[in-house]
Amino acid sequence: MAKFSIIIPIYNSEQFLKRCLDSVLAQTFEDFQVICIDDGSTDNSFNVLTRYKLKDKRIKVISQENCGQGSARNKGIEYVLNNSMSEYIYFLDSDDYIEQDLLESAWETFSTTDTDLICFNTEVVGDESSRLYRRARKYAQLSLVGLLNFTDNIKDLTNVYVWNKVFKTELIKNYDIRFAEKLCYEDIAFCKMYFLVSDKIYFDMRRFHHYMIREGSLMDLNFKSEIVALDHFRNWYEIFKMAVKNKEVFEAKKTIIEKWFWDYYFMTKSMVKTSGLMELEKLKAEYFKEFDKA
């Protein structure tokens, strides 16, 4: 059983995939497996994956019809839980890359502390003059350092990217934590639910991850769409559905779950206009009714 599983969803990433996989295979800590989920790519990505799979037996390749990044990551989780049950899971995007000592550092931290989660810094790679670059860089950078009790206040301050964190497989399994599917910003539901069941977090200021960002990317286009912006609020509902499955977790964390309801409601409200506002108010009424009954 490998200590780490690295889950990489791939969709038409031929241009960046070699750099991504080379950075993974260069890890100084070698006890890991790589779960690559080809999400219905129409370019040469699958052939690139096949070549790497033949070169290194630690690479597993799974294919599915195009269902989105959330679905692909969930398929990777299911593979880990059903086949290997590694101790830790790291999620990497196929156009990003990592430093060679990421896993070695994570192993040392997990081995010497009782943390439930590791969060490290990232380098944003792209046009430094662009609006998207500035926004991503501001949000991704850490302001806390070291091992901390994961209080509700710190849960609020911690960003919801998955690619700058390493997770314990046991918590993902025990609380059935998954990504939202067919929604944008699917990291929100996964991270927030994981935060709810975590007691300790370790912040590492080192930059182990390189985040590739481009104007005109899917993230950029999604952020500009008020209809897609509603997915911020829809992700709150995904958090609620996961939390309410475990009565003990829901009752213990009901206050912060309600706070997140209003946080995501008002954030989404600031991003949408007439047609989006009507849909937002409809979702607000539906979601709060269910929350109130739980």
Side-chain angles (χ1 to χ4, degrees):
M1 179 180 72
K3 296 295 184 185
F4 292 89
S5 289
I6 301 176
I7 296 175
I8 309 176
I10 295 106
Y11 179 71
N12 290 351
S13 301
E14 177 186 0
Q15 181 181 356
F16 306 103
L17 193 50
K18 183 179 184 299
R19 180 181 64 184
C20 174
L21 293 174
D22 284 346
S23 75
V24 170
L25 296 181
Q27 291 299 298
T28 54
F29 187 92
E30 298 181 345
D31 190 6
F32 65 88
Q33 63 176 352
V34 190
I35 317 300
C36 298
I37 300 89
D38 180 58
D39 188 36
S41 294
T42 58
D43 66 356
N44 200 42
S45 293
F46 183 77
N47 291 333
V48 174
L49 292 173
T50 300
R51 290 199 299 270
Y52 272 83
K53 178 183 176 181
L54 293 173
K55 183 167 67 173
D56 196 309
K57 65 181 181 180
R58 292 174 297 181
I59 296 178
K60 322 295 180 186
V61 178
I62 301 170
S63 295
Q64 67 174 28
E65 293 183 3
N66 180 239
C67 296
Q69 188 159 255
S71 170
R73 286 173 173 164
N74 286 340
K75 182 154 284 191
I77 291 172
E78 294 303 326
Y79 180 91
V80 173
L81 297 184
N82 294 329
N83 294 280
S84 58
M85 198 58 188
S86 58
E87 292 184 48
Y88 310 105
I89 292 179
Y90 173 60
F91 299 96
L92 177 63
D93 287 352
S94 57
D95 53 354
D96 296 344
Y97 57 102
I98 55 178
E99 291 296 316
Q100 64 181 10
D101 54 345
L102 188 161
L103 295 186
E104 184 174 0
S105 174
W107 175 250
E108 180 180 355
T109 299
F110 278 124
S111 299
T112 57
T113 72
D114 59 348
T115 190
D116 296 309
L117 177 64
I118 296 172
C119 183
F120 46 81
N121 254 323
T122 190
E123 178 192 23
V124 181
V125 180
D127 179 2
E128 296 184 13
S129 66
S130 74
R131 170 189 55 82
L132 191 59
Y133 174 93
R134 293 193 300 271
R135 184 173 66 230
R137 192 173 189 278
K138 179 180 178 181
Y139 187 54
Q141 301 312 301
L142 302 183
S143 58
L144 300 170
V145 183
L147 181 66
L148 299 173
N149 291 324
F150 208 5
T151 63
D152 287 352
N153 182 53
I154 294 176
K155 294 181 201 298
D156 271 344
L157 293 173
T158 304
N159 65 54
V160 291
Y161 298 131
V162 292
W163 32 250
N164 69 339
K165 298 175 180 68
V166 186
F167 303 88
K168 282 186 173 179
T169 307
E170 183 180 19
L171 287 178
I172 294 172
K173 177 184 178 181
N174 290 348
Y175 295 98
D176 200 23
I177 304 172
R178 298 294 187 274
F179 290 87
E181 298 191 11
K182 298 182 180 179
L183 294 179
C184 293
Y185 320 115
E186 68 284 339
D187 290 21
I188 293 173
F190 183 92
C191 283
K192 289 292 192 181
M193 183 61 201
Y194 192 95
F195 293 176
L196 288 179
V197 299
S198 300
D199 296 321
K200 295 284 184 72
I201 183 169
Y202 187 90
F203 291 98
D204 192 326
M205 294 298 289
R206 289 174 289 181
R207 288 185 171 88
F208 290 118
H209 172 262
H210 302 269
Y211 175 43
M212 186 72 181
I213 197 162
R214 305 178 303 282
E215 292 288 344
S217 67
L218 183 60
M219 176 183 173
D220 187 29
L221 295 173
N222 285 344
F223 199 86
K224 294 174 181 175
S225 166
E226 71 169 51
I227 301 302
V228 177
L230 288 165
D231 282 356
H232 285 100
F233 194 46
R234 293 187 179 108
N235 267 283
W236 175 87
Y237 187 58
E238 298 299 316
I239 302 166
F240 167 73
K241 287 192 296 182
M242 285 189 282
V244 82
K245 288 179 183 178
N246 189 305
K247 186 175 181 180
E248 185 177 331
V249 171
F250 183 72
E251 291 301 325
K253 300 298 181 180
K254 194 170 184 178
T255 299
I256 192 171
I257 294 170
E258 182 175 3
K259 179 184 182 299
W260 289 343
F261 174 93
W262 294 110
D263 287 348
Y264 281 106
Y265 167 74
F266 284 115
M267 181 179 70
T268 306
K269 188 175 183 179
S270 71
M271 300 169 67
V272 297
K273 298 179 182 178
T274 307
S275 60
L277 281 173
M278 292 175 63
E279 179 64 18
L280 177 62
E281 292 304 317
K282 179 182 175 182
L283 293 174
K284 174 189 169 186
E286 292 176 0
Y287 293 170
F288 199 78
K289 183 178 180 180
E290 286 198 45
F291 177 80
D292 205 36
K293 287 168 55 180

